[in-house]
Every structure is written in C-alpha cells, then in structure tokens.
Amino acid sequence: MTVTAQTAAARHTLARRPILVAASVCLISFAAFWAAQRAAGVSMIDLMVYRAEGETVRAGQDLYAMRATRANLPTTYPPFAALMFTPLTLLDVHGMRALATAGNLVLLVAFVRLSLRLVGRESATAVLLTAALAVWCEPVWTTLRYGQVNLLLAAAVLWDLTRRDGHRWAGVGIGLAAAVKLTPALFAVFLLITGLVRARGAVRRVPNPWLRQAGTAAAVFLAATVTAAAVLPHDSRRYWTGMVFQAGRVGHAEDTANQSLRGVLARLLHTGDPGPWWAVAAVLAAVAGLAVAVSAERRGERAGAVVACALTALLVSPVSWSHHWVWCVPVVLFLGTRGSTAAAAVTATVFCSYALWWVPHGAGRLELTQNAGQMALSALYPLTALAALLTLLRLWRTNRSA
C-alpha cells in the first residue's frame, strides 16, 4: 500500500470513529436500559391490553365490554386500533414483550432522527448519542415499561411533517395516527388553519401544500375509520356515539400521571371532575397554542410550529399520561438549537427527573389532598410546556424587532 493510500485509509478510519463510538454508546445504553427494565419486572400492562383487544376482535366479542389484566382495564382507543392489534395474538406473551421492547427502541432511534431532521441537525452521530440519552427520560422509560404505542404515533406524525412540500404521501402518517389515538388529529387542524390563512393571503392561485396535507390526513383517517366500521360495526357505533365522550373510562382525572390541563385542575381544585373550568382552560390553550403554531409555520419555522402543536395537543387532551410526553425529545432539541442551552438543559432535567412521582399517589386517590408544593411537582410537564410556548413567542417577537 502506498503512503497516499495509507493516509486515505487512516483518514477514513478517523472519520468513521465518531460514528462507531456513538453506536457503541447507544448499544451499551440500550442494553443497560433493557436489563434495568427486566430487573424492575415491568408488566407492559398496556401491551397486554392491546393483545386482549386483538383477541376480542378475533373472537367477535364486545370490544368495549372487555376488561383485561388484574387492573381490569377497558378498551379506550377507537376500533381501528383494535384491528391493528390483532397480530399480537399470534405471538406468545414473552415473545410479544421482547419484540415490543426491541421495536420501541428502533422507533426511538427513528423518532430522534426525525426530530433532529426537524431542527436541521441530523447526523448519524447525533442520532445515536441523542437516542442513548433519550431512552432514560421518564416518558420514554414509561412508554417501554407499559409497552405503549406513543413512539410509533409520534414518529408517524414527524415523518409527515419533515417531508418536502407537496410530497404525495405527506398526511398519511397523521391520518393513521389519529385513527389509532385521536390526539394527533390536532396536527391536521394545524395544517388546515395554516392552509386557509395562506389561501386567504394569496394574491393569486399558488400551490397550498398545507391544505393538501390536511386533506390527505382527513381522507386516510376516514378510510381507516370506515374500514373499522365495516369490520366492527357494533363496536364502531358504540365508540363514536358514546365511548369517545367518556374521558373517565381511562382513569381518574387527578391521577399524577395525567399531565394535561384537566389533570392539573383536578388536583388544584381537589376534585375528580374539574368540569367547566377545564373546558375553558382547554379552549383558551387550544386557541393560543394553535395561533403560536400557525404563526411559526407562516414564518418558515416548521420546528417551532410542530413543537407548539404537539405541546398544545398534550395540554388540551382530557388525559395526557406522562408517557404521552415523548414529544419532550423534539422540544429539548428545538430549545437547544433555537432558544438557549440553559432552557434545553432545564427542560431535559424536568423530563429526566421523574419528579412528578415524588408526590403521594396511587390507591386511595391521594392526589386529591396534595399541598401547594406537591401540586407544583405534579404539574411539571404542563408548566414546562407553557414555558416552551412562551419561549416561542419571545423568539417570534425578537425576530420581528430585529
């Protein structure tokens, strides 16, 4: 080998070294995570409910009369989700749990990659190192602990929102995600409003990718829902005429794990039903949050728009369990690249601290007797979301005055 060839080979090895180191760190972190979850004896209880839903569909039984696991948990998702869960019945429980854990770790890497693409910092090294850290934050840990689908839905939404304008498949991910769990539908609303604002302000007819993407999302959602209705007519009728309005089916509003505005108000007012107070707070938050998202999108700040819409959806949902907040990953990345390192560090600390579990919780509805300090701890995620939205507003005003 010539000196030139040796030099080129050495440079190639040095260039690959950061990626190899990052891959090693990621694998070690994931292996430690897997071992920690096994040592903790995680139940993957939600995955067991998904499997029970699939079994109920295959048996032709009443989906919304089903109860599963020792916790007697009911079906809460739309019927289309139950159809998607039927393949789980083909696996034994141990195989299903292992596959779900491995699949969620792969989805975490994909979600991190899409999040970095969103903020314009995508690289293999950054993806692997970020994933190695993100797996330990509370929403991700809890998602894997329960065997939840949050990473799948979030990745589907981000896949849509990181496509180029006019991509023919953009909108499919949001539509399918909303058919499985309704909350992602707010992203379609965000696209619709942005498209309508753009159409009203246009002096001539121009391409409107927002309306097209919103239309695709709506069409896919309707197609999935109609398909479920054709296969499960009784369950679909029950869900869309009654179950969809019964937020109490999923658990107590004041539960510490409920990090939505409704949960915060339930704990603040010491009641299991915050009633009209929550409705008012949700409407105000939806209007303000969507206004921030649309404004960011009109300025060409897609990352800020996506973060604002995601946080708004989490705030206004009747129930946003702590594991729904996997959106903390793009939030931290956005703050680190557009805001400040300090804001990103504080936000990351909140989601990695597990502090919301430091308060009395569990059987006996202990959350209804929380003091001021405990209520503040159990409202950390919503408070952090509001701070992030205020940061977006401040950045907007700074850019306008520059």
Side-chain angles (χ1 to χ4, degrees):
M1 182 181 291
T2 65
V3 174
T4 302
Q6 290 177 340
T7 303
R11 288 176 178 173
H12 179 68
T13 301
L14 289 173
R16 291 184 59 193
R17 184 172 297 172
I19 298 176
L20 295 174
V21 171
S24 299
V25 170
C26 188
L27 285 174
I28 292 171
S29 179
F30 281 10
F33 176 88
W34 195 310
Q37 291 250 315
R38 298 289 80 76
V42 295
S43 63
M44 303 191 80
I45 190 171
D46 287 345
L47 183 64
M48 299 304 296
V49 174
Y50 299 159
R51 178 187 174 90
E53 290 181 26
E55 291 174 339
T56 302
V57 169
R58 292 187 63 183
Q61 297 174 349
D62 190 335
L63 185 60
Y64 294 99
M66 181 216 78
R67 293 294 185 274
T69 75
R70 293 181 180 179
N72 206 33
L73 296 177
T75 301
T76 59
Y77 293 176
F80 179 73
L83 290 180
M84 299 293 291
F85 297 146
T86 53
L88 295 177
T89 63
L90 304 177
L91 303 170
D92 63 80
V93 172
H94 294 296
M96 178 185 67
R97 287 175 171 171
L99 184 61
T101 301
N104 263 326
L105 290 174
V106 172
L107 282 168
L108 174 61
V109 174
F111 183 53
V112 168
R113 180 182 180 185
L114 291 169
S115 299
L116 284 165
R117 180 182 298 172
L118 182 71
V119 299
R121 299 295 177 87
E122 181 184 3
S123 72
T125 301
V127 169
L128 293 168
L129 291 177
T130 303
L133 296 173
V135 74
W136 296 100
C137 72
E138 191 274 339
V140 174
W141 168 279
T142 311
T143 287
L144 273 82
R145 172 190 175 189
Y146 293 147
Q148 263 282 344
V149 294
N150 304 306
L151 288 169
L152 174 63
L153 302 184
V157 170
L158 266 192
W159 184 89
D160 270 356
L161 296 172
T162 53
R163 299 302 92 195
R164 59 174 173 77
D165 287 346
H167 192 286
R168 62 178 178 175
W169 295 109
V172 172
I174 293 173
L176 288 174
V180 172
K181 188 181 285 190
L182 296 179
T183 307
L186 192 68
F187 287 95
V189 175
F190 149 70
L191 291 168
L192 175 63
I193 295 173
T194 304
L196 292 175
V197 171
R198 173 63 181 271
R200 186 182 64 179
V203 295
R204 58 186 177 83
R205 187 171 181 177
V206 294
N208 196 319
W210 299 277
L211 287 181
R212 177 179 177 178
Q213 193 168 354
T216 300
V220 170
F221 170 79
L222 288 174
T225 302
V226 169
T227 299
V231 179
L232 303 170
H234 173 71
D235 295 322
S236 294
R237 183 169 59 253
R238 283 197 67 192
Y239 180 81
W240 294 109
T241 60
M243 299 300 170
V244 68
F245 304 109
Q246 297 179 16
R249 279 175 57 84
V250 301
H252 298 303
E254 77 277 2
D255 195 311
T256 297
N258 185 11
Q259 292 292 295
S260 69
L261 289 176
R262 181 168 172 261
V264 172
L265 286 172
R267 294 186 289 271
L268 182 64
L269 301 174
H270 304 292
T271 175
D273 182 12
W277 292 106
W278 168 67
V280 172
V283 169
L284 292 176
V287 171
L290 285 172
V292 172
V294 172
S295 297
E297 182 71 8
R298 292 188 67 194
R299 298 194 310 275
E301 182 54 84
R302 170 57 64 90
V306 171
V307 164
C309 189
L311 293 175
T312 302
L314 291 164
L315 289 172
V316 304
S317 176
V319 176
S320 290
W321 300 128
S322 68
H323 51 78
H324 294 171
W325 288 75
V326 293
W327 285 97
C328 66
V329 174
V331 170
V332 170
L333 292 173
F334 170 78
L335 291 174
T337 55
R338 303 291 198 278
S340 68
T341 303
V346 170
T347 303
T349 300
V350 167
F351 287 104
C352 291
S353 69
Y354 295 68
L356 72 161
W357 299 112
W358 300 352
V359 303
H361 63 277
R365 306 186 73 173
L366 302 176
E367 292 91 343
L368 292 176
T369 59
Q370 287 181 354
N371 59 37
Q374 292 166 343
M375 284 189 285
L377 281 177
S378 61
L380 272 179
Y381 291 5
L383 290 174
T384 303
L386 292 173
L389 289 172
L390 289 175
T391 298
L392 269 168
L393 281 175
R394 186 174 69 252
L395 291 172
W396 178 25
R397 291 174 180 174
T398 301
N399 291 337
R400 288 185 65 185
S401 60

